PDB file of all heavy atoms in Angstrom:
ATOM      1  N   ARG L 145      24.119  22.400 -18.560  1.00 94.00           N
ATOM      2  CA  ARG L 145      23.274  21.660 -19.500  1.00 94.00           C
ATOM      3  C   ARG L 145      21.798  21.965 -19.217  1.00 94.00           C
ATOM      4  O   ARG L 145      21.297  21.633 -18.209  1.00 94.00           O
ATOM      5  CB  ARG L 145      23.570  20.131 -19.316  1.00 94.00           C
ATOM      6  CG  ARG L 145      25.056  19.690 -19.515  1.00 94.00           C
ATOM      7  CD  ARG L 145      25.096  18.193 -19.619  1.00 94.00           C
ATOM      8  NE  ARG L 145      24.430  17.534 -18.487  1.00 94.00           N
ATOM      9  CZ  ARG L 145      24.314  16.171 -18.420  1.00 94.00           C
ATOM     10  NH1 ARG L 145      24.766  15.404 -19.344  1.00 94.00           N
ATOM     11  NH2 ARG L 145      23.614  15.632 -17.355  1.00 94.00           N
ATOM     12  N   THR L 146      21.253  22.573 -20.322  1.00 92.00           N
ATOM     13  CA  THR L 146      19.834  22.847 -20.116  1.00 92.00           C
ATOM     14  C   THR L 146      18.978  21.730 -20.787  1.00 92.00           C
ATOM     15  O   THR L 146      19.458  20.662 -21.103  1.00 92.00           O
ATOM     16  CB  THR L 146      19.457  24.269 -20.789  1.00 92.00           C
ATOM     17  OG1 THR L 146      18.159  24.572 -20.400  1.00 92.00           O
ATOM     18  CG2 THR L 146      19.698  24.348 -22.270  1.00 92.00           C
ATOM     19  N   LYS L 147      17.684  21.965 -20.912  1.00 93.00           N
ATOM     20  CA  LYS L 147      16.743  20.962 -21.499  1.00 93.00           C
ATOM     21  C   LYS L 147      17.300  20.588 -22.874  1.00 93.00           C
ATOM     22  O   LYS L 147      17.813  21.443 -23.613  1.00 93.00           O
ATOM     23  CB  LYS L 147      15.358  21.589 -21.646  1.00 93.00           C
ATOM     24  CG  LYS L 147      14.767  22.049 -20.345  1.00 93.00           C
ATOM     25  CD  LYS L 147      13.476  22.849 -20.515  1.00 93.00           C
ATOM     26  CE  LYS L 147      13.017  23.453 -19.288  1.00 93.00           C
ATOM     27  NZ  LYS L 147      11.722  24.204 -19.495  1.00 93.00           N
ATOM     28  N   PRO L 148      17.172  19.279 -23.266  1.00 94.00           N
ATOM     29  CA  PRO L 148      16.490  18.235 -22.666  1.00 94.00           C
ATOM     30  C   PRO L 148      17.159  17.436 -21.587  1.00 94.00           C
ATOM     31  O   PRO L 148      16.633  16.412 -21.081  1.00 94.00           O
ATOM     32  CB  PRO L 148      16.282  17.290 -23.871  1.00 94.00           C
ATOM     33  CG  PRO L 148      17.502  17.410 -24.742  1.00 94.00           C
ATOM     34  CD  PRO L 148      17.843  18.921 -24.575  1.00 94.00           C
ATOM     35  N   TYR L 149      18.314  17.852 -21.141  1.00 96.00           N
ATOM     36  CA  TYR L 149      18.969  17.219 -19.956  1.00 96.00           C
ATOM     37  C   TYR L 149      18.175  17.506 -18.697  1.00 96.00           C
ATOM     38  O   TYR L 149      17.374  18.442 -18.662  1.00 96.00           O
ATOM     39  CB  TYR L 149      20.398  17.859 -19.806  1.00 96.00           C
ATOM     40  CG  TYR L 149      21.307  17.390 -20.922  1.00 96.00           C
ATOM     41  CD1 TYR L 149      21.632  18.352 -21.865  1.00 96.00           C
ATOM     42  CD2 TYR L 149      21.847  16.154 -20.915  1.00 96.00           C
ATOM     43  CE1 TYR L 149      22.519  18.019 -22.941  1.00 96.00           C
ATOM     44  CE2 TYR L 149      22.720  15.848 -21.991  1.00 96.00           C
ATOM     45  CZ  TYR L 149      23.039  16.739 -23.005  1.00 96.00           C
ATOM     46  OH  TYR L 149      23.936  16.436 -23.973  1.00 96.00           O
ATOM     47  N   PRO L 150      18.248  16.580 -17.670  1.00 98.00           N
ATOM     48  CA  PRO L 150      17.533  16.773 -16.532  1.00 98.00           C
ATOM     49  C   PRO L 150      17.989  17.897 -15.527  1.00 98.00           C
ATOM     50  O   PRO L 150      17.259  18.238 -14.664  1.00 98.00           O
ATOM     51  CB  PRO L 150      17.609  15.418 -15.842  1.00 98.00           C
ATOM     52  CG  PRO L 150      18.924  14.862 -16.290  1.00 98.00           C
ATOM     53  CD  PRO L 150      19.054  15.342 -17.691  1.00 98.00           C
ATOM     54  N   ASP L 151      19.122  18.370 -15.849  1.00 97.00           N
ATOM     55  CA  ASP L 151      19.811  19.332 -14.882  1.00 97.00           C
ATOM     56  C   ASP L 151      18.915  20.411 -14.410  1.00 97.00           C
ATOM     57  O   ASP L 151      18.914  20.726 -13.199  1.00 97.00           O
ATOM     58  CB  ASP L 151      21.100  19.868 -15.544  1.00 97.00           C
ATOM     59  CG  ASP L 151      22.004  18.786 -15.971  1.00 97.00           C
ATOM     60  OD1 ASP L 151      21.556  17.754 -16.510  1.00 97.00           O
ATOM     61  OD2 ASP L 151      23.251  18.952 -15.971  1.00 97.00           O
ATOM     62  N   PRO L 152      18.173  21.166 -15.308  1.00 97.00           N
ATOM     63  CA  PRO L 152      17.420  22.327 -14.682  1.00 97.00           C
ATOM     64  C   PRO L 152      16.367  21.946 -13.772  1.00 97.00           C
ATOM     65  O   PRO L 152      16.124  22.562 -12.672  1.00 97.00           O
ATOM     66  CB  PRO L 152      16.831  22.905 -16.047  1.00 97.00           C
ATOM     67  CG  PRO L 152      17.675  22.420 -17.151  1.00 97.00           C
ATOM     68  CD  PRO L 152      18.102  21.096 -16.748  1.00 97.00           C
ATOM     69  N   TYR L 153      15.691  20.813 -13.965  1.00 98.00           N
ATOM     70  CA  TYR L 153      14.601  20.383 -13.040  1.00 98.00           C
ATOM     71  C   TYR L 153      15.278  19.702 -11.837  1.00 98.00           C
ATOM     72  O   TYR L 153      14.682  19.857 -10.750  1.00 98.00           O
ATOM     73  CB  TYR L 153      13.691  19.439 -13.787  1.00 98.00           C
ATOM     74  CG  TYR L 153      12.752  20.165 -14.641  1.00 98.00           C
ATOM     75  CD1 TYR L 153      12.717  19.968 -16.009  1.00 98.00           C
ATOM     76  CD2 TYR L 153      11.828  21.104 -14.120  1.00 98.00           C
ATOM     77  CE1 TYR L 153      11.910  20.660 -16.888  1.00 98.00           C
ATOM     78  CE2 TYR L 153      11.027  21.766 -14.977  1.00 98.00           C
ATOM     79  CZ  TYR L 153      11.022  21.631 -16.323  1.00 98.00           C
ATOM     80  OH  TYR L 153      10.170  22.312 -17.159  1.00 98.00           O
ATOM     81  N   LEU L 154      16.387  19.050 -11.913  1.00 98.00           N
ATOM     82  CA  LEU L 154      16.982  18.491 -10.731  1.00 98.00           C
ATOM     83  C   LEU L 154      17.519  19.704  -9.883  1.00 98.00           C
ATOM     84  O   LEU L 154      17.406  19.633  -8.627  1.00 98.00           O
ATOM     85  CB  LEU L 154      18.210  17.615 -11.197  1.00 98.00           C
ATOM     86  CG  LEU L 154      17.889  16.275 -11.729  1.00 98.00           C
ATOM     87  CD1 LEU L 154      19.146  15.594 -12.266  1.00 98.00           C
ATOM     88  CD2 LEU L 154      17.083  15.392 -10.772  1.00 98.00           C
ATOM     89  N   LEU L 155      18.010  20.792 -10.506  1.00 98.00           N
ATOM     90  CA  LEU L 155      18.455  21.890  -9.692  1.00 98.00           C
ATOM     91  C   LEU L 155      17.341  22.547  -9.015  1.00 98.00           C
ATOM     92  O   LEU L 155      17.437  22.845  -7.817  1.00 98.00           O
ATOM     93  CB  LEU L 155      19.134  22.876 -10.706  1.00 98.00           C
ATOM     94  CG  LEU L 155      19.546  24.264 -10.057  1.00 98.00           C
ATOM     95  CD1 LEU L 155      20.538  24.105  -8.992  1.00 98.00           C
ATOM     96  CD2 LEU L 155      19.976  25.193 -11.086  1.00 98.00           C
ATOM     97  N   ALA L 156      16.240  22.711  -9.637  1.00 98.00           N
ATOM     98  CA  ALA L 156      15.068  23.342  -9.128  1.00 98.00           C
ATOM     99  C   ALA L 156      14.544  22.555  -7.892  1.00 98.00           C
ATOM    100  O   ALA L 156      14.155  23.089  -6.845  1.00 98.00           O
ATOM    101  CB  ALA L 156      13.933  23.530 -10.148  1.00 98.00           C
ATOM    102  N   ALA L 157      14.356  21.197  -8.070  1.00 98.00           N
ATOM    103  CA  ALA L 157      13.912  20.364  -6.977  1.00 98.00           C
ATOM    104  C   ALA L 157      14.854  20.413  -5.778  1.00 98.00           C
ATOM    105  O   ALA L 157      14.341  20.544  -4.682  1.00 98.00           O
ATOM    106  CB  ALA L 157      13.819  18.941  -7.500  1.00 98.00           C
ATOM    107  N   ALA L 158      16.160  20.368  -6.037  1.00 98.00           N
ATOM    108  CA  ALA L 158      17.149  20.464  -5.024  1.00 98.00           C
ATOM    109  C   ALA L 158      17.076  21.799  -4.154  1.00 98.00           C
ATOM    110  O   ALA L 158      17.105  21.807  -2.940  1.00 98.00           O
ATOM    111  CB  ALA L 158      18.483  20.203  -5.543  1.00 98.00           C
TER     112      ALA L 158
END
Side-chain angles (χ1 to χ4, degrees):
R145 301 191 309 174
T146 188
K147 305 172 187 179
Y149 293 101
D151 304 36
Y153 284 116
L154 289 174
L155 173 63

